[in-house]
Amino acid sequence: MPDTQLDLLGNLQRSQMCGTLTASDAGKTITLMGWVNRRRDLGNLLFIDLRDRTGVVQIVFDKESNPVLHARAGGVRSEYVLAVVGTVKRRDSATVNKNLSTGEIEISATELRVLNDSKTPPFSPSEQAISNEELRLKYRYIDMRRPEMQSNIEMRSRVSLAIRKELSSRGFLEIETPFMTRSTPEGARDYLVPSRVYPGSFYALPQSPQLFKQILMISGFDKYFQVVRCFRDEDLRADRQPEFTQIDLEMSFPSQDRVFEVVEAFLVAAFREAGVELKPPFPRMKYDDSIRRYGIDKPDMRLPAMTEVRDVFTEENLNALSLDPLLPVVAVRIPKVGELSRKERDENKQLFATRPPAKVIDDLKRLEKSFPDSVAKLTALCEAEPDDLLVLVAGGCGPDRSGIQARKASEAVYTSAGAIRLAFAQKYKEKHGAFAKRGSADDYRFLWVTDFPMFEFDEKEARWNAAHHPFTSPHEHDFGKLLSDPAAVRALAYDIVLNGTELGSGSIRIHRQDIQKQIFNALGMSDEEARSRFGFFLEALEYGTPPHGGIALGLDRIVMILAGADSLREVIPFPKTAKAVDLMVDAPTPVSPAQLRELGIHVKS
Ligand code: ASP
């Protein structure tokens, strides 16, 4: 630890923040407090850049006018905490620093107190983020001193405040729900908290407040919201965190349109904080159309949709190409990419995984030699310009397919085409330019995806699962197919998608106990099992439950997008690593044998 004489703050009070000073403050005597961002010693003149949350300002210590103060300033080092009294002076035009918001002025110091010293930090907050993210996370308090992190965390605070204001102005109440609860139905693994009082029993941390918010509707709070932490023990991907924050809401007697309107309104308020003026209503698309046109349920609308081009080929053409004429033929168009070389086409094969029976035709020039008419027609159908890249995806011949097999085979063609579309969109983003930000609302292409399937088939377990969660209402017209044709049952479930990222999901819920029971049956859950997992909720449903519905959006993702950050960890103050570790506090850790004994837990080595 450096040997420093530390001063007391005494009766000094901060009068202004560093980054807010301008030329109009010239002549004022001010008191600043902050950290030493940088120090430059030019002999008779010593400069300290003092930093606080608002920015940096230059302080000058002049040996001639105050040798004692100058000598004291010589002893300070990076990240020391200082109080400085001084006069604001305009810089002469030759020394104005255009890169600094306070660059027109500097502070001529008349008093300096060293409030605290600092060890030499492992990296300097005055520089760009270092590439060693583990070190950044271990010393998060230093990392967060960097202006980017300060601005991201400030953006986060402003965005959640704007959302709260918007929702409460619409009559929503923010109501807290418990963290220590029992398993909730989002389908991930739970984080468990052992009970000391009931050894062998556990609370589960909520994967979402789903059942509580539905119960709040039963309790008569017809508009609920919460900016709330959720916990899911999932295998982590780059854009996941084990604990994350949702903007969660629920309304009684809503139509889907009402839910959309409320979400659009709070997104307008949130984006306004980043200077972006969104223009609702956002477009909508049914799930089936989304799969057919984009090969995915969260389409990135910044690039053209795919085009069905089966009809430009005759059955003989397709047979000659060993393609199944009963399956779709889909064209993917990426603008301005130009023709691909043989080498590039070979490399591209690593980029995407096609699902059988999907097959890719990426050499249209060659196809044109054998089928000039078809290629001319499909180029026109896709409205392709000469420098656009066109790739076809179709289904290879196979055994006779009918019913669910045929449905799956054509889905494989669409989703494979969708995967290629996305892989190429990423790879050729410099060429097509569609992802470049222009600083307007058009940079943000929102979409509501509606009418999701109610169930999805789990091949491994050979059973149907709820695609959203089991409290989602099926379409009224599809009630009859719950047991006979689960694949065809549509749900009143919706997602909000932005530039190919799912921002949130929700649904109109089941409010009748009899229908809830049928859904559990369709999911292969016995009455006993349903009762043991969700008994309290099923009972509550029997006491006059109003029709209700809601949604939850990921706050972390919204802030990440608004901050222009490329990882959730850039907008979460204390995030976990991809291996679910908090490097700063070093969690998780083993606990003492005494603690385990008290909880009645024996850990196998
Ligand atoms: N609880 C759901 C989720 O976390 C959202 C909802 O249905 O409101 O995805």
Side-chain angles (χ1 to χ4, degrees):
M1 180 66 77
D3 180 21
T4 320
Q5 184 77 46
L6 296 183
D7 300 300
L8 298 175
L9 188 54
N11 57 3
L12 273 194
Q13 275 192 30
R14 176 155 77 170
S15 67
Q16 226 150 335
M17 303 284 283
C18 299
T20 61
L21 291 165
T22 64
S24 66
D25 293 302
K28 281 191 200 161
T29 297
I30 53 163
T31 307
L32 300 172
M33 292 177 197
W35 286 261
V36 175
N37 198 52
R38 271 206 195 111
R39 204 188 60 124
R40 284 184 312 284
D41 192 345
L42 304 185
N44 276 352
L45 287 181
L46 196 143
F47 297 98
I48 288 178
D49 286 347
L50 196 68
R51 185 191 66 238
D52 65 21
R53 188 161 73 75
T54 57
V56 165
V57 70
Q58 172 166 292
I59 322 276
V60 193
F61 296 87
D62 183 349
K63 192 168 182 178
E64 259 165 45
S65 62
N66 195 336
V68 177
L69 209 59
H70 179 271
R72 295 203 70 194
V76 310
R77 294 289 175 265
S78 286
E79 301 309 308
Y80 277 29
V81 187
L82 308 183
V84 176
V85 182
T87 314
V88 182
K89 298 237 161 94
R90 268 178 201 273
R91 300 196 199 185
D92 54 42
S93 56
T95 56
V96 164
N97 180 351
K98 292 228 164 60
N99 301 323
L100 204 61
S101 72
T102 58
E104 284 186 24
I105 51 129
E106 61 192 7
I107 314 299
S108 168
T110 52
E111 190 179 345
L112 167 67
R113 295 194 196 171
V114 178
L115 302 177
N116 214 341
D117 54 18
S118 166
K119 283 169 65 172
T120 303
F123 50 87
S124 170
S126 68
E127 276 156 27
Q128 296 280 319
I130 53 164
S131 58
N132 181 346
E133 201 191 7
E134 297 201 346
L135 201 63
R136 286 180 59 200
L137 292 175
K138 178 164 162 53
Y139 294 96
R140 189 59 156 176
Y141 37 90
I142 292 170
D143 185 45
M144 284 201 287
R145 287 181 190 167
R146 290 187 308 108
E148 290 80 14
M149 284 305 291
Q150 295 265 321
S151 124
N152 289 357
I153 302 303
E154 183 184 330
M155 171 73 80
R156 187 180 178 108
S157 168
R158 286 200 280 123
V159 164
S160 55
L161 183 62
I163 292 171
R164 283 190 159 98
K165 274 194 194 153
E166 178 62 36
L167 287 172
S168 61
S169 79
R170 290 174 173 257
F172 282 79
L173 300 185
E174 182 160 21
I175 307 178
E176 286 164 281
T177 52
F179 277 179
M180 287 163 64
T181 177
R182 53 185 293 154
S183 196
T184 48
E186 305 297 344
R189 224 175 278 115
D190 288 322
Y191 279 103
L192 298 175
V193 180
S195 159
R196 175 183 57 81
V197 186
Y198 303 99
S201 287
F202 294 81
Y203 303 96
L205 300 181
Q207 293 180 29
S208 81
Q210 185 62 36
L211 295 180
F212 287 103
K213 67 174 174 175
Q214 292 193 237
I215 286 183
L216 286 169
M217 297 303 109
I218 304 177
S219 313
F221 293 103
D222 59 345
K223 286 177 182 167
Y224 143 93
F225 87 100
Q226 193 179 184
V227 179
V228 64
R229 204 67 60 80
C230 302
F231 307 86
R232 296 184 193 174
D233 186 0
E234 293 177 297
D235 293 331
L236 299 181
R237 295 192 229 131
D239 61 346
R240 291 251 169 100
Q241 281 280 312
E243 51 178 310
F244 58 94
T245 305
Q246 282 189 343
I247 305 147
D248 190 44
L249 67 86
E250 196 76 9
M251 303 160 75
S252 291
F253 314 112
S255 61
Q256 196 168 272
D257 288 0
R258 284 287 299 141
V259 178
F260 291 4
E261 192 189 312
V262 169
V263 172
E264 287 170 357
F266 80 62
L267 285 173
V268 167
F271 275 65
R272 200 167 278 155
E273 290 301 321
V276 179
E277 202 54 42
L278 299 179
K279 295 182 203 80
F282 303 151
R284 301 174 187 193
M285 190 182 297
K286 290 188 167 54
Y287 169 88
D288 284 347
D289 293 334
S290 172
I291 298 293
R292 267 207 302 275
R293 299 180 54 202
Y294 294 90
I296 195 164
D297 60 0
K298 43 180 180 186
D300 192 330
M301 314 281 288
R302 293 173 297 178
L303 282 171
M306 314 188 302
T307 313
E308 304 244 15
V309 295
R310 158 71 186 80
D311 292 347
V312 307
F313 295 100
T314 63
E315 201 161 327
E316 293 79 62
N317 293 163
L318 293 170
N319 284 332
L321 289 163
S322 308
L323 297 175
D324 185 339
L326 296 177
L327 291 179
V329 181
V330 181
V332 174
R333 173 166 78 90
I334 311 284
K336 304 192 189 113
V337 173
E339 243 174 88
L340 300 183
S341 66
R342 170 78 192 266
K343 183 164 162 271
E344 240 173 327
R345 288 202 303 272
D346 285 345
E347 280 168 12
N348 283 347
K349 300 220 158 53
Q350 329 288 331
L351 270 184
F352 47 83
T354 47
R355 287 202 290 142
K359 280 187 152 184
V360 181
I361 302 176
D362 59 359
D363 190 351
L364 273 261
K365 275 271 166 296
R366 188 156 155 214
L367 189 72
E368 196 174 18
K369 285 197 186 120
S370 319
F371 308 101
D373 288 352
S374 304
V375 171
K377 276 192 213 153
L378 80 85
T379 310
L381 207 57
C382 299
E383 299 177 1
E385 299 289 334
D387 63 347
D388 290 356
L389 169 65
L390 279 180
V391 173
L392 300 189
V393 185
C397 291
D400 275 351
R401 303 179 179 102
S402 61
I404 194 156
Q405 292 311 332
R407 196 147 56 191
K408 274 188 155 168
S410 47
E411 208 184 275
V413 173
Y414 291 123
T415 55
S416 299
I420 290 174
R421 180 177 174 270
L422 285 186
F424 283 10
Q426 267 311 320
K427 173 159 182 187
Y428 298 114
K429 63 178 169 211
E430 306 302 335
K431 287 192 175 163
H432 62 67
F435 296 169
K437 294 262 182 285
R438 289 167 183 83
S440 72
D442 294 338
D443 295 343
Y444 303 96
R445 300 290 299 273
F446 282 95
L447 175 74
W448 288 105
V449 179
T450 64
D451 300 82
F452 273 78
M454 181 77 191
F455 304 105
E456 57 196 16
F457 195 66
D458 182 335
E459 303 275 353
K460 256 199 243 144
E461 306 276 328
R463 59 181 209 145
W464 292 98
N465 284 334
H468 186 44
H469 51 60
F471 305 100
T472 296
S473 176
H475 264 265
E476 263 173 50
H477 305 295
D478 296 345
F479 280 171
K481 298 183 219 156
L482 280 176
L483 291 176
S484 58
D485 188 6
V489 178
R490 290 159 306 159
L492 293 175
Y494 33 80
D495 275 4
I496 178 143
V497 175
L498 167 58
N499 292 352
T501 301
E502 181 206 311
L503 281 191
S505 322
S507 61
I508 301 298
R509 325 294 182 188
I510 298 165
H511 64 280
R512 280 171 37 189
Q513 212 272 347
D514 54 334
I515 294 169
Q516 187 64 69
K517 211 168 143 184
Q518 284 182 45
I519 298 296
F520 284 138
N521 287 344
L523 290 169
M525 217 189 274
S526 68
D527 286 358
E528 290 75 61
E529 194 185 341
R531 227 158 255 295
S532 86
R533 286 186 63 191
F534 306 118
F536 70 99
F537 181 69
L538 296 179
E539 191 179 0
L541 277 183
E542 290 178 309
Y543 289 92
T545 301
H548 60 286
I551 192 164
L553 279 76
L555 177 70
D556 311 291
R557 269 193 201 166
I558 293 175
V559 179
M560 177 177 95
I561 290 166
L562 289 179
D566 53 11
S567 148
L568 292 176
R569 293 188 291 274
E570 299 296 326
V571 297
I572 298 176
F574 303 106
K576 307 229 175 353
T577 64
K579 294 210 167 94
V581 172
D582 182 329
L583 289 169
M584 188 183 76
V585 303
D586 188 19
T589 45
V591 296
S592 71
Q595 268 176 305
L596 287 177
R597 247 193 327 276
E598 205 170 30
L599 295 167
I601 291 178
H602 175 72
V603 178
K604 280 206 219 155
S605 53

